[in-house]
mmCIF file of all heavy atoms in Angstrom:
data_model
loop_
_atom_site.group_PDB
_atom_site.id
_atom_site.type_symbol
_atom_site.label_atom_id
_atom_site.label_comp_id
_atom_site.label_asym_id
_atom_site.label_seq_id
_atom_site.Cartn_x
_atom_site.Cartn_y
_atom_site.Cartn_z
ATOM 1 N N PHE Y 28 10.920 3.923 21.141
ATOM 2 C CA PHE Y 28 11.260 4.558 22.349
ATOM 3 C C PHE Y 28 11.336 3.486 23.500
ATOM 4 O O PHE Y 28 10.766 2.434 23.311
ATOM 5 C CB PHE Y 28 10.205 5.622 22.719
ATOM 6 C CG PHE Y 28 8.814 5.247 22.534
ATOM 7 C CD1 PHE Y 28 8.088 4.615 23.501
ATOM 8 C CD2 PHE Y 28 8.111 5.512 21.337
ATOM 9 C CE1 PHE Y 28 6.842 4.259 23.373
ATOM 10 C CE2 PHE Y 28 6.833 5.113 21.146
ATOM 11 C CZ PHE Y 28 6.055 4.476 22.180
ATOM 12 N N GLU Y 33 6.698 7.321 31.082
ATOM 13 C CA GLU Y 33 6.834 8.723 30.538
ATOM 14 C C GLU Y 33 6.571 8.729 29.093
ATOM 15 O O GLU Y 33 6.030 9.781 28.528
ATOM 16 C CB GLU Y 33 8.211 9.288 30.791
ATOM 17 C CG GLU Y 33 8.594 9.697 32.176
ATOM 18 C CD GLU Y 33 9.090 8.677 33.023
ATOM 19 O OE1 GLU Y 33 8.846 7.390 32.646
ATOM 20 O OE2 GLU Y 33 9.705 8.880 34.094
ATOM 21 N N ILE Y 59 -8.028 8.911 18.859
ATOM 22 C CA ILE Y 59 -6.777 8.305 18.382
ATOM 23 C C ILE Y 59 -5.758 8.422 19.513
ATOM 24 O O ILE Y 59 -5.021 7.356 19.696
ATOM 25 C CB ILE Y 59 -6.315 9.103 17.155
ATOM 26 C CG1 ILE Y 59 -7.202 8.697 15.864
ATOM 27 C CG2 ILE Y 59 -4.790 8.761 16.794
ATOM 28 C CD1 ILE Y 59 -6.966 9.463 14.672
ATOM 29 N N GLU Y 65 -3.490 3.349 24.951
ATOM 30 C CA GLU Y 65 -3.844 2.020 25.404
ATOM 31 C C GLU Y 65 -2.814 0.972 24.892
ATOM 32 O O GLU Y 65 -2.369 0.137 25.604
ATOM 33 C CB GLU Y 65 -5.269 1.584 24.950
ATOM 34 C CG GLU Y 65 -6.425 2.391 25.521
ATOM 35 C CD GLU Y 65 -6.527 2.276 27.050
ATOM 36 O OE1 GLU Y 65 -5.961 1.331 27.643
ATOM 37 O OE2 GLU Y 65 -7.341 3.112 27.632
ATOM 38 N N VAL Y 67 0.258 1.464 23.622
ATOM 39 C CA VAL Y 67 1.631 1.674 24.153
ATOM 40 C C VAL Y 67 1.718 1.228 25.595
ATOM 41 O O VAL Y 67 2.620 0.558 25.935
ATOM 42 C CB VAL Y 67 1.987 3.181 23.935
ATOM 43 C CG1 VAL Y 67 3.220 3.389 24.709
ATOM 44 C CG2 VAL Y 67 2.127 3.495 22.438
ATOM 45 N N ASN Y 69 -0.052 -0.992 27.047
ATOM 46 C CA ASN Y 69 -0.080 -2.492 27.103
ATOM 47 C C ASN Y 69 1.330 -3.086 26.805
ATOM 48 O O ASN Y 69 1.771 -3.994 27.482
ATOM 49 C CB ASN Y 69 -1.078 -3.099 26.151
ATOM 50 C CG ASN Y 69 -2.502 -3.051 26.608
ATOM 51 O OD1 ASN Y 69 -2.696 -2.654 27.872
ATOM 52 N ND2 ASN Y 69 -3.432 -3.344 25.782
ATOM 53 N N TYR Y 75 6.362 -5.935 28.256
ATOM 54 C CA TYR Y 75 7.609 -6.044 28.907
ATOM 55 C C TYR Y 75 7.577 -6.116 30.445
ATOM 56 O O TYR Y 75 8.617 -5.952 31.093
ATOM 57 C CB TYR Y 75 8.452 -4.783 28.550
ATOM 58 C CG TYR Y 75 8.822 -4.735 26.997
ATOM 59 C CD1 TYR Y 75 8.356 -3.711 26.236
ATOM 60 C CD2 TYR Y 75 9.625 -5.720 26.496
ATOM 61 C CE1 TYR Y 75 8.721 -3.678 24.839
ATOM 62 C CE2 TYR Y 75 9.967 -5.673 25.134
ATOM 63 C CZ TYR Y 75 9.466 -4.626 24.240
ATOM 64 O OH TYR Y 75 9.756 -4.627 22.999
ATOM 65 N N GLY Y 87 0.897 5.845 9.477
ATOM 66 C CA GLY Y 87 0.782 6.158 7.980
ATOM 67 C C GLY Y 87 -0.553 6.919 7.757
ATOM 68 O O GLY Y 87 -1.504 6.701 8.465
ATOM 69 N N GLY Y 117 -5.241 -9.738 32.463
ATOM 70 C CA GLY Y 117 -4.306 -10.710 32.918
ATOM 71 C C GLY Y 117 -3.614 -10.310 34.268
ATOM 72 O O GLY Y 117 -2.958 -11.098 34.909
ATOM 73 N N PHE Y 134 -13.083 3.146 19.729
ATOM 74 C CA PHE Y 134 -12.590 4.459 19.354
ATOM 75 C C PHE Y 134 -12.004 4.421 17.855
ATOM 76 O O PHE Y 134 -11.886 5.487 17.255
ATOM 77 C CB PHE Y 134 -11.525 4.994 20.260
ATOM 78 C CG PHE Y 134 -12.135 5.483 21.656
ATOM 79 C CD1 PHE Y 134 -13.449 5.110 22.010
ATOM 80 C CD2 PHE Y 134 -11.435 6.418 22.494
ATOM 81 C CE1 PHE Y 134 -13.956 5.543 23.217
ATOM 82 C CE2 PHE Y 134 -11.926 6.866 23.637
ATOM 83 C CZ PHE Y 134 -13.225 6.492 24.035
ATOM 84 N N LYS Y 146 7.685 -13.826 21.648
ATOM 85 C CA LYS Y 146 8.201 -13.075 20.578
ATOM 86 C C LYS Y 146 7.709 -11.572 20.578
ATOM 87 O O LYS Y 146 8.454 -10.616 20.306
ATOM 88 C CB LYS Y 146 7.782 -13.679 19.147
ATOM 89 C CG LYS Y 146 8.443 -14.985 18.895
ATOM 90 C CD LYS Y 146 8.847 -15.086 17.448
ATOM 91 C CE LYS Y 146 9.725 -16.241 17.104
ATOM 92 N NZ LYS Y 146 8.913 -17.491 16.675
ATOM 93 N N THR Y 148 4.158 -8.569 20.339
ATOM 94 C CA THR Y 148 2.737 -8.326 19.951
ATOM 95 C C THR Y 148 2.764 -7.066 19.018
ATOM 96 O O THR Y 148 3.510 -6.125 19.119
ATOM 97 C CB THR Y 148 1.885 -7.972 21.174
ATOM 98 O OG1 THR Y 148 2.004 -9.060 22.101
ATOM 99 C CG2 THR Y 148 0.508 -7.556 20.849
ATOM 100 N N ILE Y 156 -10.745 9.909 9.204
ATOM 101 C CA ILE Y 156 -11.033 11.288 9.731
ATOM 102 C C ILE Y 156 -12.156 11.918 8.843
ATOM 103 O O ILE Y 156 -12.091 11.748 7.670
ATOM 104 C CB ILE Y 156 -9.744 12.143 9.718
ATOM 105 C CG1 ILE Y 156 -8.552 11.469 10.557
ATOM 106 C CG2 ILE Y 156 -10.046 13.508 10.174
ATOM 107 C CD1 ILE Y 156 -8.828 11.245 11.967
ATOM 108 N N GLN Y 161 -20.985 7.491 14.582
ATOM 109 C CA GLN Y 161 -22.133 6.693 14.697
ATOM 110 C C GLN Y 161 -22.241 6.220 16.098
ATOM 111 O O GLN Y 161 -21.289 5.883 16.717
ATOM 112 C CB GLN Y 161 -22.150 5.467 13.707
ATOM 113 C CG GLN Y 161 -21.144 4.376 13.868
ATOM 114 C CD GLN Y 161 -19.837 4.655 13.249
ATOM 115 O OE1 GLN Y 161 -19.008 5.402 13.742
ATOM 116 N NE2 GLN Y 161 -19.558 3.983 12.133
ATOM 117 N N GLU Y 162 -23.487 6.332 16.656
ATOM 118 C CA GLU Y 162 -23.693 5.941 18.009
ATOM 119 C C GLU Y 162 -23.961 4.443 18.196
ATOM 120 O O GLU Y 162 -24.741 3.857 17.406
ATOM 121 C CB GLU Y 162 -24.869 6.748 18.636
ATOM 122 C CG GLU Y 162 -24.505 8.124 18.978
ATOM 123 C CD GLU Y 162 -23.367 8.310 20.025
ATOM 124 O OE1 GLU Y 162 -23.309 7.465 21.000
ATOM 125 O OE2 GLU Y 162 -22.372 9.106 19.880
#
Side-chain angles (χ1 to χ4, degrees):
Chain Y
F28 47 85
E33 284 87 339
I59 290 175
E65 297 295 347
V67 168
N69 280 352
Y75 294 119
F134 285 17
K146 292 220 170 92
T148 302
I156 302 300
Q161 71 272 77
E162 280 302 319

